[in-house]
Amino acid sequence: MAAESASAIPKGQVDLMDFIDWSGVECLNQSGSNTIVNALKQGYREDEGLNLVSDADEQLLIYIPFNQVIKLHSIVIKGPEEEGPKTVKLFSNKEHMGFSNVNDYPPSDTVVLSEDNLKGKPVTLKYVKFQNVRSVTIFIEDNQQDGETTNVQKIVLYGSTVETTDMKGLKKIEDH
């Protein structure tokens, strides 16, 4: 299993889980006992018995802030064949989105997940749209069979960190 996971990582990219600001992660319409942590956090997301499940209907709105600026390259969203996510819209740097205004903004990218994607094949995103990312919002619009609930087993974000200038390291140039 570990070898399979390692080979799925796109060349030059890393799992961005270590750069997630966990205190700011939110998920709207998640079931009380089947929360976003089950699909996103290391250890939990590898346990197929732990899933993120939608509550009132099939839609999920997930907000993931990062503790530094990243470039998002690709995403893995695993789920079961019938209840797994289908149409997924991703928004870069859009905060405070809700179901009432999610359609007011054009998504940075929209993907339709295939059976291979639901089994763990990464989806390469429009890389130019995800260059200076402080947060990503994932809107799962529907599921494979148009059922009442959507089930997500695992979410993995692949990308890289953006090298930023350390302002403290700069020295003031004296006027002459």
Side-chain angles (χ1 to χ4, degrees):
M1 185 70 180
E4 178 193 337
S5 300
S7 67
I9 299 175
K11 189 173 173 73
Q13 308 301 320
V14 298
D15 182 342
L16 295 169
M17 193 191 60
D18 290 340
F19 304 104
I20 293 174
D21 175 5
W22 291 101
S23 65
V25 172
E26 294 176 5
C27 181
L28 301 182
N29 194 37
Q30 64 186 343
S31 159
S33 57
N34 298 33
T35 65
I36 183 63
V37 170
N38 292 348
L40 198 58
K41 209 159 198 171
Q42 188 93 36
Y44 293 88
R45 67 184 186 190
E46 280 71 35
D47 184 338
E48 293 193 8
L50 295 174
N51 298 315
L52 165 62
V53 179
S54 64
D55 191 21
D57 60 21
E58 75 282 6
Q59 296 185 335
L60 288 161
L61 191 61
I62 304 162
Y63 174 72
I64 304 170
F66 298 97
N67 55 27
Q68 67 183 76
V69 179
I70 58 106
K71 293 180 182 182
L72 186 59
H73 176 271
S74 52
I75 187 170
V76 169
I77 301 180
K78 279 183 74 172
E81 220 172 291
E82 299 81 32
E83 297 176 323
K86 183 177 179 185
T87 309
V88 179
K89 295 180 178 179
L90 294 106
F91 301 85
S92 175
N93 301 324
K94 287 275 184 255
E95 297 181 8
H96 311 298
M97 292 180 75
F99 290 110
S100 60
N101 68 354
V102 72
N103 291 317
D104 295 350
Y105 304 101
S108 304
D109 204 353
T110 301
V111 295
V112 177
L113 299 178
S114 68
E115 196 176 311
D116 285 344
N117 296 136
L118 290 176
K119 290 178 180 170
K121 182 182 178 199
V123 177
T124 302
L125 302 173
K126 292 177 185 168
Y127 198 48
V128 295
K129 300 273 190 173
F130 297 96
Q131 289 298 302
N132 288 304
V133 179
R134 286 172 202 79
S135 68
V136 65
T137 301
I138 303 169
F139 175 46
I140 298 175
E141 192 166 38
D142 55 16
N143 58 41
Q144 297 292 325
Q145 302 285 325
D146 292 322
E148 284 297 307
T149 59
T150 298
N151 189 324
V152 180
Q153 294 167 336
K154 183 177 193 174
I155 298 174
V156 186
L157 303 168
Y158 292 113
S160 57
T161 55
V162 174
E163 296 299 322
T164 54
T165 304
D166 179 6
M167 299 309 277
K168 294 177 192 147
L170 296 177
K171 302 221 182 312
K172 185 177 180 188
I173 296 174
E174 297 295 323
D175 292 329
H176 293 287

